[in-house]
Amino acid sequence: MKKLVIIGGGFAGSLIAKNCENYFDTTLIDSKDFFEFTPGILRTIVQPSHAKKIQVLHKEYLKKTNFIRSLVTNVDKKYVSVKDKKIPYDYLVIASGSSYVRLIKELDTVLVSRIKTLQQNYDKLLKAKKVLIIGGSFVGVELAAEIATHFPDKNITIIEATPHLISRNNPKASTYAEDFMKKHNVKFILEEKIIEKNKTLLTDKWRKVNADIIFSCVGIKPNSLFMEKNFKDKINEHCYLKVNDYLQLAGFNNIFVAGDVTDIKEEKLAQNAENHAYLISKNLKLLLKNKSLIAYNSKPRIMVISLGKLDGILIYKQFTLTGIIPGIMKTVIEKMFMRKL
Ligand SMILES: Cc1cc2nc3c(=O)[nH]c(=O)nc-3n(C[C@H](O)[C@H](O)[C@H](O)COP(=O)(O)OP(=O)(O)OC[C@H]3O[C@@H](n4cnc5c(N)ncnc54)[C@H](O)[C@@H]3O)c2cc1C
């Protein structure tokens, strides 16, 4: 059997491993020993017991795949290097995704420590009276809504640099999110940025902000560092990996790239990562049979932003649906994905 090595066990990597393990001698390398449903992580911040519903050890859903828990440090045309060894490959899939602040997306950890981190943060949140959320895009808004609906007595402030909350989406969605925050006494300060993070926080308009706990909800960064030594020309100026129409690393037949780390111009979404995974799984099997590959067709996706358990916003291009249906949809999507694994 040909050797398939997959870097990263997020949405894309875990599905590719599951879909391909019967066809290839498959190895999954992930810096975590578990899959975590990232969109559900914000609920675990206010309800740590929710973590059991969104985390699963890789060895529990992969039957034939060899699993290595390690951080990949380098890749060349034949091998993937981890701390103490080199793993040869015939086919390689890079699905290393993106990094975010540690609490929300932890890069190098095991399940027991992850649960401990979430619990420690929860204990801190319980004691906090004043909560500051830096960033009012969909992550900051969802987190503020989770905290406000679980702990209505907390004094919550969002600081957002643009003129509106979730400003990248359509105006109706922003208005709904802003009205929700007003209704739940969440203060939001727009067009200001945090410039200093001492004991007394300051915005660029010299406003002082106090907080007992701070959640930073800004700054997604693609995980492509291990490609710098041998594939520097395949990394674009924003650190994404350049792919062709078939999701192959530009210029390489046997290396595929999936999920957040690709340079495809589309929202970095789990749904897109899943679609890349299905296409790459098919293309890998087609390569085995020497058949023509299928091209990736990027499409606008439905985005669901939850506002606590029972409210939310569904956005599809210029269409917006608000209220309980999108609120519940997020939980349904989470259950369906976890069942799939
Ligand atoms: C708070 C939050 C909420 C979100 N909500 C939604 C939503 O509602 N709907 C939606 O569609 N999308 C949502 N997203 C986006 C979605 O989570 C990402 O698009 C998705 O996780 C991308 O999947 P991926 O497989 O590309 O990468 P990731 O999920 O980032 O997985 C990458 C994996 O690779 C591992 N890894 C990284 N570097 C290395 C290395 N050097 N060596 C070994 N392993 C490595 C990581 O540990 C990780 O396990 C949300 C994101 C956040 C942060």
Side-chain angles (χ1 to χ4, degrees), residues 29-202:
I29 310 172
D30 192 3
S31 49
K32 312 199 310 288
D33 64 348
F34 60 98
F35 169 84
E36 184 169 80
F37 186 88
T38 310
I41 204 67
L42 303 175
R43 183 141 307 149
T44 67
I45 290 175
V46 296
Q47 189 189 324
S49 62
H50 187 71
K52 330 194 247 300
K53 297 188 183 162
I54 61 159
Q55 294 164 332
V56 56
L57 288 166
H58 292 307
K59 64 176 189 208
E60 279 177 16
Y61 66 91
L62 295 172
K63 304 294 171 225
K64 295 186 183 163
T65 301
N66 314 303
F67 173 64
I68 300 173
R69 189 189 91 76
S70 198
L71 201 65
V72 169
T73 51
N74 190 29
V75 171
D76 63 31
K77 286 179 186 166
K78 287 195 170 151
Y79 295 94
V80 173
S81 303
V82 294
K83 209 171 33 200
D84 46 3
K85 57 181 162 193
K86 281 179 147 198
I87 298 121
Y89 67 85
D90 297 306
Y91 298 102
L92 174 66
V93 176
I94 301 167
S96 47
S98 56
S99 294
Y100 206 69
V101 282
R102 183 173 164 257
L103 178 70
I104 294 176
K105 244 178 158 183
E106 214 166 336
L107 185 62
D108 192 2
T109 188
V110 290
L111 188 56
V112 275
S113 338
R114 178 68 172 149
I115 291 168
K116 210 165 139 196
T117 306
L118 291 168
Q119 184 63 48
Q120 281 166 348
N121 185 76
Y122 176 73
D123 295 342
K124 200 171 160 199
L125 176 62
L126 277 186
K127 288 186 207 135
K129 287 195 176 87
K130 288 186 176 178
V131 179
L132 174 65
I133 295 175
I134 303 173
S137 69
F138 81 93
V139 178
V141 163
E142 283 196 347
L143 181 59
E146 287 292 341
I147 300 174
T149 49
H150 268 77
F151 305 109
D153 295 336
K154 303 233 185 264
N155 177 337
I156 308 165
T157 304
I158 306 174
I159 300 209
E160 164 57 31
T162 69
H164 287 287
L165 296 180
I166 46 170
S167 57
R168 280 210 350 256
N169 302 102
N170 66 42
K172 211 175 149 196
S174 295
T175 307
Y176 193 81
E178 288 170 7
D179 289 345
F180 178 95
M181 295 305 159
K182 284 178 198 155
K183 212 164 80 192
H184 289 82
N185 298 317
V186 175
K187 187 175 166 195
F188 48 94
I189 299 168
L190 301 170
E191 296 185 274
E192 290 190 34
K193 273 186 199 167
I194 293 287
I195 52 163
E196 212 175 285
K197 292 182 196 171
N198 287 333
K199 278 205 170 144
T200 317
L201 295 173
L202 215 58

